[in-house]
Amino acid sequence: MGLLQLCQTAGPAHVMDLLDWLVPPAALDDARLRTRHRGIAKALLTISLVVSIMLLAVAFVRGGMGVAFILFFLACIVTPLIGAVLIRLTGNIGLGLVVANVGGLAIVTAWAFMSGGILSVALPAYLANIALLSTFGNVGLLIAFGVALGAALVLLYLATITGWLPASIFLAGETPGLMLTAMLGSLAIVVLAGYFLARDRALVKVRLREARHAAEQSSRAKAVFLRSMSQEFRAPLGAILGEATNLQVRLPADAAEQQSLQGIVTAGNYLGDLLNQLLEVSRAEADETL
């Protein structure tokens, strides 16, 4: 069985622990990055889980499994897990997705080559992979994988029409049941993995909105504080400037104290200008957050 199913049997707490283990340590303290990495990890683990279920379904349809079938399915189960582990170790989402998708492309192509070429029951897995890849938001990787997938399909077509294919590993009577299994499995991969990614992307948006709201609240509080402080400074500053001006009037023009009083008036006026600028900044910030 896939790792996700094994973890689910152990309880939700163990699933949470496993998903956090697949998050790069540098992203654990960032709620947005942590949520994104967890969504990708769940998507990759879902592929492993669905392929594990498909293994049982194919064994039921065929009435048994040969070594070649088991190896193919094990490769399909392990490849997404390798991608998830690489993302965790390197912190590079693109690298993990490249490994998982290139590995999946190679496995499905080999499987199709051995089971009918362009008419193989393995082909639905191609569409599942590229549909899932489109939800990760990596345009460059999506285009590159699309080109590689197109090339693989052309090669399978040429191999089919020119008779290069070996004898199919499937019997003719098994084809309908195997095709149904492949279609249902591909559908489950796209829907479940896409669901996890979409839900975690929605959580990221909610956290971004909450962070923006908190920043706006903080900005408003700062603006109110600045306005309050500037107004509180005005009363004592006005009293100091008024008294200094009165002393200048009462003292003789040539008194030595006149220079000191003029320094007080100049500094007080400068401080008043700074308070006016501070008040204007606080008003502007308050207007921007409304």
Side-chain angles (χ1 to χ4, degrees):
M1 294 298 171
L3 284 182
L4 184 58
Q5 187 178 18
L6 291 176
C7 292
Q8 285 175 334
T9 59
H14 294 275
V15 177
M16 300 293 286
D17 292 342
L18 174 61
L19 290 175
D20 276 341
W21 187 88
L22 291 174
V23 175
L28 286 173
D29 295 331
D30 187 318
R32 183 181 62 84
L33 288 178
R34 177 174 175 268
T35 301
R36 185 186 181 199
H37 278 282
R38 284 172 60 85
I40 292 174
K42 280 187 278 189
L44 293 173
L45 291 176
T46 297
I47 297 174
S48 174
L49 170 62
V50 173
V51 174
S52 299
I53 296 173
M54 288 175 64
L55 172 63
L56 298 179
V58 172
F60 176 78
V61 171
R62 299 190 76 248
M65 295 286 284
V67 175
F69 287 97
I70 294 176
L71 291 177
F72 269 122
F73 274 105
L74 287 178
C76 290
I77 293 170
V78 170
T79 299
L81 301 182
I82 293 175
V85 172
L86 278 176
I87 293 174
R88 195 270 180 187
L89 294 178
T90 65
N92 190 330
I93 294 176
L95 175 62
L97 295 181
V98 166
V99 170
N101 283 279
V102 170
L105 175 64
I107 294 168
V108 175
T109 301
W111 196 350
F113 184 78
M114 297 175 62
S115 59
I118 200 66
L119 303 176
S120 171
V121 297
L123 293 185
Y126 277 144
L127 298 181
N129 278 343
I130 198 164
L132 181 59
L133 185 60
S134 66
T135 65
F136 287 109
N138 192 321
V139 177
L141 183 57
L142 177 62
I143 294 174
F145 187 76
V147 172
L149 175 55
L153 290 172
V154 171
L155 289 176
L156 287 174
Y157 170 76
L158 293 175
T160 303
I161 63 174
T162 56
W164 297 344
L165 298 176
S168 175
I169 57 177
F170 297 132
L171 300 176
E174 299 172 344
T175 301
L178 293 173
M179 178 59 80
L180 176 62
T181 301
M183 293 294 289
L184 291 177
S186 299
L187 176 64
I189 288 174
V190 173
V191 172
L192 291 177
Y195 165 76
F196 287 134
L197 287 172
R199 188 181 65 174
D200 289 335
R201 191 172 289 119
L203 288 176
V204 170
K205 290 181 179 179
V206 169
R207 286 172 179 167
L208 286 175
R209 285 197 297 268
E210 291 174 349
R212 180 180 177 181
H213 178 70
E216 290 175 349
Q217 292 291 96
S218 176
S219 180
R220 290 192 185 99
K222 183 177 71 172
V224 171
F225 173 77
L226 291 176
R227 286 200 302 271
S228 175
M229 291 301 297
S230 64
Q231 291 167 0
E232 291 294 330
F233 274 114
R234 285 182 183 279
L237 180 60
I240 293 172
L241 289 175
E243 187 62 27
T245 302
N246 290 334
L247 287 174
Q248 281 182 313
V249 172
R250 291 198 297 267
L251 290 175
D254 58 348
E257 290 84 356
Q258 286 285 355
Q259 186 175 0
S260 298
L261 291 172
Q262 184 58 43
I264 293 173
V265 172
T266 301
N269 289 330
Y270 177 71
L271 182 57
D273 291 338
L274 289 179
L275 289 174
N276 288 333
Q277 295 175 17
L278 190 62
L279 186 58
E280 290 176 3
V281 170
S282 66
R283 286 173 178 169
E285 290 183 347
D287 292 339
E288 288 177 358
T289 57
L290 292 179

